[in-house]
Amino acid sequence: MKAKPVSFLESVDLYFNRASKALKLPKGLARQIRTCNAICEMKFGVELRGGYEIFTGWRATHSEHALPAKGGIRYAPFADQQEVEALAALMTYKCSIVNVPYAGSKGALKIDPKQYSLKELEHITRRFAQELDKRGFLGPGLNVPAPDMGTGQRTMSWIADEYQKLHPSDINAQGCVTGKPVHFGGVEGRVEATGRGVQFGLKEFFRTPEDVKKAGLEPGLEGKSIILQGLGNVGYHAAKFLQEEDGAKIIGIIERDGSLLCEDGLNVEAVLQYKQEYGKVEGFPQATFSSNGAALLEYPCDVLIPAAMEGVIHQENAARISCKVLAEAANGPLTFEADQIIQEKGIFIIPDTYLNAGGVTVSYFEWLKNLSHVRFGRMDRRFVEAQNERVIELIEGAIGKTIDPSAKEKLLEGPNEINLVRAGLEDTMREAYHEIKAQEDENEKIHDRRTAAYALAIRKIADIYDSMYL
Ligand code: NAD
């Protein structure tokens, strides 16, 4: 009889156990860190279409070693409690890996958002926000949701507005959610952040000769062949930046209705426009379409980026995966069994707990902006520009020439919000990459990057527990 496949939550716990065994921790501490601290199932009625409809939602606070707890809210018809717990645990480890001072949380509402009008979704979301607030699962110092599958900026605005109504004297109320539109307390660069983080993480891999050699590749992203699954928020931004800024070749794109293959490279922007117009990728010109999308995961390429959903590489297809680097942009795209098979094949895995942490990193910047009540760059931009102007004048005087106007414009520029956010994110991703690598290099029991990432997170959280009195 075939063994039952390992669930998403079991996979996360198995990865955790593998890493904690490589560390020396006080008795019972690994279990304390791994255990989900609180999970609430909410069933609430909403007056809709001349009657009442009951909705089921969850919010899990995986850990409270730091506050607030942070993590997205997903609207999906297949949502369930175990998935919420698994995603909340990943958030705890992710925040710790990228040095964002939060614990992990996650939420979901079992709903197919496509079946409801905008007005109805607003009503449902406001009711969900009331339930979260009532139970201590919402607040700028306590628990801060963000968008995930099926939710977006508008959903976050509704939650923030509802929270403000319930707590009119809370001066930090806007910081109760992140991922808001910029005109409603959001930060520039949040929408692109997770994809941008994937780009920065991959760039760092290609800048690290030891890792590139391990994967059997040459340094640099220029000309590298990439296959992407999921042209959504994360996948689109990652693929677009890798193509337009780093010269990588996106040879394949897998979407819900099938896949596109073009060895010369697909134009990511054009595919997105096509998908938005026709609701599918089938029929996109100058590419070979196949309705068996998942088969393209197995096509040879330098980098495979699953950016759609969990569990897409499993014990059935893992042995046929033939990329050199597997860059986990989605949460949990490999099951635990697949992870073992992929490692045996010598494929270099850049794990989700690190690679898709760009979203929470920029959420952290947004939260800081909300608490400080001032836009990044507002206090120093003109001051820095004036200083730069003086330096340029001095240089021009000393060399007796004027500097080219377009170069001068770049040299003059003071910090603005989008540049600061991107720079902060790049610094975070580059630093975390090497912290994880050092964990692997320094611990002889660790032989892969995922275990190293988990071990790094566990060690940092264990240090915090060490200073607490429970
Ligand atoms: P999204 O809904 O914007 O995009 C997902 C895309 O994948 C869509 O285009 C969808 O059509 C496609 N898709 C869905 N199922 C598919 C399948 N079986 N085969 C091929 N394509 C499929 O979602 P997103 O926000 O981009 O999130 C994608 C993944 O990244 C999820 O695992 C999510 O948890 C993770 N993630 C997202 C963020 C974020 O900031 N949005 C942050 C961290 C992690």
Side-chain angles (χ1 to χ4, degrees), residues 376-377 380-388 408-420:
F376 292 115
D380 46 359
R381 183 172 169 188
R382 300 296 169 202
F383 180 76
V384 172
E385 283 183 3
Q387 274 188 325
N388 292 349
K408 198 165 164 176
E409 203 180 316
K410 280 199 189 119
L411 289 170
L412 269 176
E413 198 183 354
N416 60 26
E417 188 159 281
I418 186 70
N419 292 342
L420 286 168

Side-chain angles (χ1 to χ4, degrees), residues 72-90:
I73 290 188
R74 172 176 282 202
Y75 282 6
F78 55 79
D80 66 40
Q81 181 172 324
Q82 276 219 349
E83 181 192 69
V84 170
E85 281 187 42
L87 290 162
L90 279 180

Side-chain angles (χ1 to χ4, degrees), residues 8 74 87 91 94 106 146-151 190-195 228-236 253-258 272 275 293-294 297 306-310 312 328-333 352 355-360 363:
F8 186 17
R74 172 176 282 202
L87 290 162
M91 282 303 295
K94 203 178 290 187
K106 202 80 185 188
D148 196 79
M149 263 183 217
T151 57
R190 175 61 185 87
V191 176
E192 66 172 40
T194 308
L228 171 84
Q229 183 189 39
L231 195 64
N233 176 296
V234 178
Y236 160 70
I253 292 179
I254 308 166
E255 252 300 323
R256 280 182 208 270
D257 65 308
L272 181 83
K275 184 187 149 222
L297 290 169
M309 57 184 294
E310 56 263 22
V312 292
E328 294 186 336
N331 280 315
D352 51 359
L355 196 65
N356 69 30
V360 72
S363 275

